[in-house]
Amino acid sequence: MLVSEQTGSTQIDLVREGYTFTEPSIVLGGAVDGEEVVADAVVRLPLGSMNRHGLVAGATGTGKTVTLQVLAEQLSDAGVPVFLADIKGDLTGMATPSPGGGKVDERMGALAQEWTGTAYPLELLNLGGHGVGSPVRATITDFGPTLLSKVLRLNKTQESSLALVFHWADRQGLALLDLKDLQSVIQHLISDEGKDDLKSLGGLATSTAGVILRELVALSAGGGDDFFGEPAFDTADLLRTTSDGKGVITCLELPGVQDKPVLFSTFLMWLLADLFQDLPEVGNPDKPKLVFFFDEAHLLFDDASDAFLDSVEQAVRLIRSKGVGVFFVTQTPKDVPDGVLAQLGNRVQHALRAHTPNDAKALKATVSTFPTSEYDLAEVLTSLRTGEAVVTVLSEKGAPTPVARTMLRAPQGQIGPSGQPVLDGLVSASPLRAKYAEALDRESAYELLTAKLQAVEAERTEAQERERIEAEEKARVEAELPRGRGRARAEDKGVVEQVVGSSAFRSMLRSAGTVIGREITRSVLGTGRRRR
């Protein structure tokens, strides 16, 4: 039994006292002393602290996915909507009541906590039609240059150049709905017709524009056309509750795009950025408006630019005041940048391995992120059993709770995916099905620039034909007139014809013709502000 040298209290006493909250909370499980569960030392997480964000970490196979399920189910019971990404397709089991028995009964008996097999309200989404549920799409304009640069793996120079392209399109009011819209804008800028527009951007080199264009073509060939377009997903649809007051659990199915990890991680960040942009300030509510679980978080931060990391850090810091809690899910805390990690007040750390020098370094870094306790955390974290975790959360007053080795409770929904009939029923009953099922392709930058190019070509052809006819007529008249009079008439061109034919007048027409709509404005992460 661990005893505090300062207070004489055991670690279990500290846990028992430190997790006794008066405000509504969810139950994570019970404290473990040695090999035994201490049933009256219940480990909880206050609902009011969940918009202070959190981290669920641990090596593969240690129970992170089941922990997500436990958290999501209890949030739903508390009337809090939940969004989570289902990397392996296992979390659809929440729509099916768990049969219990066996290890579930054994675990819940040791914890002495109530448990009932329960089906939860689940909304299934997928990226661009790859998987079960309603497809999630975003327009290129809404996605913005910062996030798209991450998907395209552009360097700093290319990222800033892409931002200039978006800036030009935004100034012209050109809606970039899908990849071909952005491709057409870049093709216009590097064409003879767009060279003046390209010069107006200053720092955009033709060669850089060509590189970006090639990356867009590669993304399109790799299936990117399915993800970008309309109807764009409205993140307000994540904030739903059922008629009996349960929070809807929105599950983004990702098995179909596991070969595009950067794309799906960046899509998750776009959803978060869109929420940040649209939700009103609410301060510190008694419970969050939404809890957003960001799985495979390391994919978002790998090879990210400093500007991108700064934007993510700012979005995470500020979205708290909008009532949204964000939980990052990854293997070790070192996967998350320090600026973001410092904002994650609630920690559920599953077992870590120490088989390599890098593992040992990650273990040491993880231990350093926890409050001081009587635990030898380096030993505890490498000996945790599946379904156990080391926990510390923020209390109702915002102070860290004592570190608690915790046996996590069993989820009340089925562990593992639901059967196909259940999934089919969820899809057919979804209120989002009719809204997002069919892709749209309305007039946008591609069509407008194509029409403009066709008009320019038609005008050029007409002008050439007009010049040919005028030249023939001039030659005929000069041949019929006495010598000298034809030359005077030819030189006496009208003022209107001179002005219309001047380069200044053509430049004015070009400038006027490019202003097609209102300028598009952008948020902290470069995402487009929607006109709702």
Side-chain angles (χ1 to χ4, degrees):
M1 180 176 292
L2 298 173
V3 180
S4 170
E5 296 179 358
Q6 294 180 338
T7 65
S9 301
T10 67
Q11 189 69 27
I12 294 299
D13 290 334
L14 296 176
V15 170
R16 189 182 288 112
E17 180 182 353
Y19 289 85
T20 302
F21 306 125
T22 58
E23 300 296 327
S25 59
I26 65 173
V27 177
L28 295 176
V32 175
D33 186 14
E35 297 295 319
E36 300 297 324
V37 177
V38 182
D40 66 340
V42 180
V43 178
R44 299 180 174 87
L45 200 171
L47 282 174
S49 295
M50 292 198 75
N51 68 331
R52 306 288 185 93
H53 310 320
L55 177 74
V56 179
T60 301
T62 56
K64 296 192 301 293
T65 300
V66 176
T67 297
L68 293 189
Q69 188 168 338
V70 168
L71 291 170
E73 290 176 357
Q74 291 193 62
L75 285 166
S76 177
D77 285 334
V80 178
V82 174
F83 171 85
L84 45 82
D86 191 0
I87 303 295
K88 295 173 288 187
D90 292 340
L91 291 168
T92 59
M94 285 185 284
T96 303
S98 171
K103 292 183 178 180
V104 171
D105 288 351
E106 180 182 339
R107 180 176 294 255
M108 297 311 299
L111 290 170
Q113 296 172 7
E114 292 185 5
W115 183 94
T116 304
T118 306
Y120 286 86
L122 209 62
E123 179 68 57
L124 299 181
L125 303 177
N126 65 72
L127 280 185
H130 293 261
V132 179
S134 301
V136 176
R137 302 180 185 89
T139 68
I140 292 291
T141 285
D142 285 345
F143 210 70
T146 303
L147 296 179
L148 187 59
S149 294
K150 173 70 174 170
V151 173
L152 298 176
R153 299 178 183 271
L154 302 182
N155 62 33
K156 291 182 179 180
T157 299
Q158 294 159 353
E159 181 178 348
S160 62
S161 296
L162 182 62
L164 288 174
V165 173
F166 270 79
H167 174 68
W168 181 83
D170 291 348
R171 290 291 300 271
Q172 311 311 312
L174 286 170
L176 306 176
L177 302 183
D178 50 30
L179 287 175
K180 71 176 184 296
D181 287 328
L182 184 55
Q183 290 170 8
S184 67
V185 167
I186 296 176
Q187 287 168 341
H188 164 75
L189 290 173
I190 61 178
S191 70
D192 290 340
E193 294 301 325
K195 60 185 178 182
D196 290 337
D197 295 322
L198 183 61
K199 288 179 181 178
S200 72
L201 295 180
L204 178 61
T206 304
S207 58
T208 302
V211 171
I212 296 171
L213 184 59
R214 289 194 293 273
E215 293 299 327
L216 288 171
V217 171
L219 177 60
S220 177
D225 288 328
D226 297 330
F227 307 120
F228 294 104
E230 288 190 312
F233 185 75
D234 185 351
T235 47
D237 288 326
L238 301 178
L239 306 174
R240 294 181 293 135
T241 56
T242 62
S243 57
D244 59 354
K246 283 195 172 185
V248 173
I249 301 171
T250 301
C251 187
L252 179 63
E253 286 264 271
L254 292 173
V257 292
Q258 284 188 344
D259 60 332
K260 302 177 180 66
V262 175
L263 180 60
F264 76 66
S265 67
T266 312
F267 247 87
L268 296 185
M269 194 63 229
W270 169 72
L271 290 173
L272 192 61
D274 201 64
L275 285 165
F276 167 76
Q277 171 183 304
D278 290 337
L279 290 177
E281 298 279 342
V282 295
N284 288 309
D286 294 335
K287 63 181 181 181
K289 297 180 67 173
L290 173 75
V291 174
F292 190 105
F293 290 97
F294 206 123
D295 208 353
E296 299 291 345
H298 65 281
L299 296 172
L300 181 70
F301 302 115
D302 286 348
D303 301 321
S305 67
D306 291 341
F308 180 84
L309 294 177
D310 288 343
S311 297
V312 172
E313 180 180 339
Q314 184 178 5
V316 172
R317 182 174 68 252
L318 297 178
I319 203 170
R320 168 191 159 192
S321 64
K322 307 214 174 179
V324 176
V326 183
F327 278 66
F328 290 93
V329 185
T330 189
Q331 294 201 3
T332 71
K334 67 187 292 290
D335 293 334
V336 181
D338 289 345
V340 176
L341 188 64
Q343 301 176 55
L344 311 183
N346 304 297
R347 306 285 181 90
V348 180
Q349 176 68 59
H350 289 270
L352 290 174
R353 310 299 181 219
H355 301 314
T356 69
N358 283 337
D359 289 342
K361 186 182 298 184
L363 176 63
K364 183 177 180 180
T366 299
V367 169
S368 68
T369 66
F370 280 86
T372 302
S373 71
E374 298 305 309
Y375 290 113
D376 180 349
L377 282 181
E379 179 183 349
V380 171
L381 288 173
T382 54
S383 61
L384 289 171
R385 296 166 291 188
T386 300
E388 288 186 351
V390 171
V391 174
T392 181
V393 302
L394 292 180
S395 70
E396 300 155 315
K397 297 180 180 179
T401 57
V403 177
R405 178 174 181 173
T406 305
M407 173 70 75
L408 297 167
R409 58 179 284 117
Q412 298 184 154
Q414 174 178 292
I415 296 177
S418 289
Q420 193 60 45
V422 173
L423 300 182
D424 292 341
L426 291 173
V427 173
S428 62
S430 170
L432 304 185
R433 184 183 183 189
K435 186 175 180 180
Y436 298 116
E438 295 298 326
L440 302 177
D441 189 13
R442 63 184 175 92
E443 186 179 64
S444 52
Y446 172 78
E447 289 79 13
L448 292 170
L449 289 174
T450 299
K452 181 182 175 183
L453 180 61
Q454 291 172 346
V456 168
E457 289 296 330
E459 183 179 348
R460 181 183 291 119
T461 301
E462 182 180 343
Q464 290 173 347
E465 180 65 17
R466 187 166 56 246
E467 288 174 0
R468 184 188 65 80
I469 293 173
E470 289 176 352
E472 291 177 353
E473 179 66 15
K474 177 182 177 181
R476 185 185 65 79
V477 170
E478 287 182 347
E480 294 176 355
L481 290 175
R483 185 175 181 83
R485 292 183 60 190
R487 180 177 300 173
R489 177 171 296 183
E491 293 174 352
D492 187 22
K493 297 180 70 174
V495 175
V496 173
E497 185 178 352
Q498 292 181 43
V499 172
V500 169
S502 70
S503 60
F505 183 79
R506 288 197 300 271
S507 177
M508 187 225 13
L509 281 181
R510 186 185 302 113
S511 299
T514 56
V515 182
I516 300 172
R518 288 190 298 160
E519 181 176 350
I520 298 166
T521 58
R522 300 197 166 273
S523 69
V524 62
L525 261 163
T527 56
R529 297 186 183 276
R530 297 191 193 182
R531 303 168 191 171
R532 298 188 185 277

